Amino acid sequence: GAGVSQSPSNKVTEKGKDVELRCDPISGHTALYWYRQSLGQGLEFLIYFQGNSAPDKSGLPSDRFSAERTGGSVSTLTIQRTQQEDSAVYLCASSLVNGPWEQYFGPGTRLTVT
Amino acid sequence: AQKITQTQPGMFVQEKEAVTLDCTYDTSDQSYGLFWYKQPSSGEMIFLIYQGSYDEQNATEGRYSLNFQKARKSANLVISASQLGDSAMYFCAMREGLEDDKIIFGKGTRLHILP
């Protein structure tokens, strides 16, 4: 079956530009997560969507970061006025809400801000 | 305070030996879940094993087992008979509460299996 997909796989952008990263979760998974992973580092939680509930935005590092999830499925993470420190791999994951709770991860989007 | 602590940034282990990767967690919830993920150099995140806080027995999945010590808030991953393909980053993670599925990850341990 189809897993979590993310696009683009790689994105190079100039400092100050806006970028949009897309995540298609596994069909039927109502929980969706965004994480950021800098080179050689762990996963930094960014935002979490569960069904129709208000998203948990507690991990977003600044107001330049925002995310939405349309129709309870596809999610878009937007970074405005990108900075060099935004360079990282952005990982999306989805899971079932009522268990089992393991997350299924997408391949990630590697963002490079020049 | 960190929710998930992995104190070993890197480990070197001889092939075929058993490996224990440490993980301690911090929560005041009675209901929570603990996970281990593997991330090879390819970058994909691979789910390995899950332990619920109310599970009385340690979780096992093939060569992986989770040494769950609730009173010590410890959830170490044990890999038996290590293989070269086990070389990767390993992340411990926790989900708190019954309603909140937010999952927080530790900083990881890089495991190197030596031939």
Side-chain angles (χ1 to χ4, degrees), chain B:
Chain B
Q2 284 192 44
K3 291 283 189 177
I4 296 287
T5 301
Q6 295 181 252
T7 58
Q8 307 149 309
M11 288 185 69
F12 289 83
V13 173
Q14 206 68 40
E15 188 181 10
K16 299 181 184 175
E17 290 185 351
V19 181
T20 297
L21 305 180
D22 295 341
C23 174
T24 56
Y25 58 92
D26 179 25
T27 182
S28 57
D29 284 354
Q30 296 301 308
S31 178
Y32 52 90
L34 298 155
F35 306 77
W36 277 93
Y37 285 84
K38 172 184 179 181
Q39 187 178 43
S41 55
S42 57
E44 63 192 300
M45 291 287 287
I46 303 167
F47 166 75
L48 296 179
I49 197 167
Y50 171 80
Q51 179 87 41
S53 58
Y54 293 119
D55 296 338
E56 294 186 352
Q57 293 196 331
N58 288 341
T60 60
E61 290 286 346
R63 293 187 299 114
Y64 304 107
S65 61
L66 199 151
N67 184 0
F68 182 45
Q69 299 188 38
K70 197 169 183 177
R72 298 176 63 181
K73 295 188 176 179
S74 166
N76 297 342
L77 177 70
V78 179
I79 306 174
S80 63
S82 59
Q83 303 171 356
L84 295 178
D86 294 333
S87 294
M89 279 289 284
Y90 288 81
F91 293 99
C92 181
M94 177 174 68
R95 174 190 59 83
E96 290 182 282
L98 282 172
E99 300 295 327
D100 184 0
D101 282 309
K102 185 170 71 178
I103 297 177
I104 302 298
F105 284 76
K107 294 187 181 301
T109 295
R110 182 168 294 282
L111 176 63
H112 303 268
I113 305 298
L114 304 173

Side-chain angles (χ1 to χ4, degrees), chain A residues 4 6 23-25 32-35 90-94 104-106 108:
Chain A
V4 178
Q6 292 185 246
C23 172
D24 281 89
L32 187 148
Y33 315 75
W34 283 98
Y35 296 91
Y90 289 81
L91 290 163
C92 174
S94 70
Y104 294 82
F105 281 81

Side-chain angles (χ1 to χ4, degrees), chain A residues 30-94:
Chain A
T30 55
L32 187 148
Y33 315 75
W34 283 98
Y35 296 91
R36 178 170 69 175
Q37 187 175 29
S38 300
L39 187 63
Q41 301 298 310
L43 276 70
E44 176 188 4
F45 168 79
L46 297 178
I47 189 169
Y48 159 62
F49 296 90
Q50 184 191 106
N52 296 321
S53 302
D56 181 341
K57 304 180 182 179
S58 59
L60 294 178
S62 77
D63 57 9
R64 296 186 295 105
F65 288 73
S66 63
E68 62 178 21
R69 189 177 185 191
T70 53
S73 181
V74 172
S75 178
T76 302
L77 177 69
T78 301
I79 309 174
Q80 296 178 309
R81 305 180 302 281
T82 52
Q83 304 294 313
Q84 287 187 329
E85 59 263 29
D86 299 335
S87 296
V89 175
Y90 289 81
L91 290 163
C92 174
S94 70

